[in-house]
């Protein structure tokens, strides 16, 4: 079982109807909700576009029905993309972050600036500080103002989704698809056009782009006409994010300086100089 990603061609480029798997991570990170993920960036991803997977499932029994002799043993096929098309998780996350800023989602919770790490301790710290605490704070404010709370529920769903996906992003997988590739070589040009199962002609960067736009349109129901407005909102969130971080660091530096007596030392030095 592999994580399924948005469609390459059918029924529409980038089509997807749920937030499971990598799609949910791209949307959650683009909305600023997901701030951390456990992932070994050097491992190669084992994912497959939904239309490629479905075409493969249709093609296998069709192809086997044309065989003159039945095999003595039931053949096993691994439906996966070619080894050369398996990008590392780091490449996927970096490109996804870059495209998420070029084609931002509407009204995110915060500026999309999350990270991936292989350290469970650092990941736990980031999840508590930047995901759960803001969720409780937002729900508390919603309760005070008499609005419906939702952030804790969202974070619970994200936690479940990340736990499932992290099973794949922290382990090395090597599914060989020799038999599946052989079928592609044996079928004719017409069947190759009808049952697209080869992704060698797909540009990976362009596919990531249509995947993000697909999640935006088909899952979040955000039209492409709202992109200019979303870019303005993203610039505002960037300024707010950097301002808050700067104020936090300045405040922390001042507190530490006061605790170790540096502020008092500087003040006395200035007074003695006068």
């Amino acid at each position: 079982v592999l994580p399924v990603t948005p469609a390459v061609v059918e029924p529409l480029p980038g089509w997807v109807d749920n937030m499971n798997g990598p799609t949910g991570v791209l949307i959650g990170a683009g909305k600023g909700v997901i701030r951390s993920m456990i992932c070994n960036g050097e491992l190669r991803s084992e994912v497959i576009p939904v239309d490629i997977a479905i075409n493969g499932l249709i093609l296998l029994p069709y192809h086997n029905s044309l065989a003159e002799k039945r095999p003595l043993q039931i053949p096993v096929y691994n439906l996966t993309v070619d080894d050369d098309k398996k990008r590392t998780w780091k490449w996927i996350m970096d490109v996804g972050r870059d495209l998420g800023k070029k084609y931002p989602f509407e009204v995110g919770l915060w500026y999309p600036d999350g990270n991936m790490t292989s350290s469970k301790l650092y990941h736990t710290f980031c999840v508590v500080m930047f995901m759960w605490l803001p969720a409780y704070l937002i729900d508390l404010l919603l309760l005070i103002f008499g609005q419906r709370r939702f952030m804790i529920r969202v974070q619970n769903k994200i936690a479940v989704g990340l736990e499932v996906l992290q099973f794949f992003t922290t382990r090395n997988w090597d599914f060989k698809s020799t038999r599946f590739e052989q079928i592609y070589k044996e079928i004719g040009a017409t069947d190759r056009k009808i049952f697209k199962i080869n992704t060698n002609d797909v540009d990976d960067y362009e596919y990531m782009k249509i995947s993000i736009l697909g999640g935006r349109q088909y899952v979040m129901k955000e039209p492409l006409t709202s992109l200019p407005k979303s870019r303005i909102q993203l610039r505002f969130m960037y300024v707010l994010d950097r301002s808050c971080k700067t104020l936090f660091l300045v405040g922390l530096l001042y507190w530490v300086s006061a605790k170790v007596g540096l502020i008092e030392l500087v003040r006395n030095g200035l007074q003695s100089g006068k």
Side-chain angles (χ1 to χ4, degrees), residues 4-18 23 48-55 196 199 202-203 206-215 218:
V4 176
T5 55
V8 174
V9 178
E10 300 178 280
L12 291 168
W15 179 86
V16 62
D17 66 347
N18 61 73
T23 301
I48 185 168
V50 60
D51 53 338
I52 302 298
I54 292 175
N55 283 337
K196 180 175 177 56
T199 59
V202 177
D203 181 84
E206 186 65 21
Y207 174 66
M208 286 290 294
K209 173 184 170 182
I210 66 172
S211 295
I212 288 179
L213 292 177
Y218 306 122

Side-chain angles (χ1 to χ4, degrees), residues 169-267:
T169 61
T170 56
R171 291 170 172 81
N172 187 31
W173 304 93
D174 187 21
F175 295 108
K176 298 299 182 183
S177 56
T178 308
R179 288 184 174 179
F180 189 52
E181 293 171 3
Q182 185 62 33
I183 289 180
Y184 181 78
K185 297 176 182 178
E186 294 175 0
I187 60 178
T190 302
D191 285 338
R192 288 184 182 182
K193 186 175 181 180
I194 296 174
F195 304 106
K196 180 175 177 56
I197 59 172
N198 189 282
T199 59
N200 289 339
D201 60 341
V202 177
D203 181 84
D204 294 333
Y205 187 86
E206 186 65 21
Y207 174 66
M208 286 290 294
K209 173 184 170 182
I210 66 172
S211 295
I212 288 179
L213 292 177
R216 195 180 192 280
Q217 291 176 271
Y218 306 122
V219 178
M220 303 309 297
K221 310 300 181 185
E222 299 175 3
L224 297 182
T225 53
S226 67
L227 276 172
K229 179 182 177 181
S230 298
R231 292 186 178 113
I232 295 174
Q233 293 171 341
L234 185 67
R235 285 195 290 269
F236 171 77
M237 295 299 290
Y238 173 81
V239 173
L240 180 63
D241 176 73
R242 294 304 186 264
S243 299
C244 289
K245 288 180 178 177
T246 302
L247 289 173
F248 175 78
L249 290 175
V250 170
L252 181 63
L253 181 61
Y254 180 84
W255 180 80
V256 172
S257 300
K259 285 293 183 180
V260 299
L262 184 60
I263 300 295
E264 189 66 25
L265 182 64
V266 172
R267 185 181 292 116

Side-chain angles (χ1 to χ4, degrees), residues 126-137 152 155-156 159:
C126 290
V127 168
V128 172
M129 292 297 297
F130 307 125
M131 292 172 64
W132 282 109
L133 285 182
Y136 276 103
L137 178 61
I152 299 299
Q155 284 297 343
N156 280 323

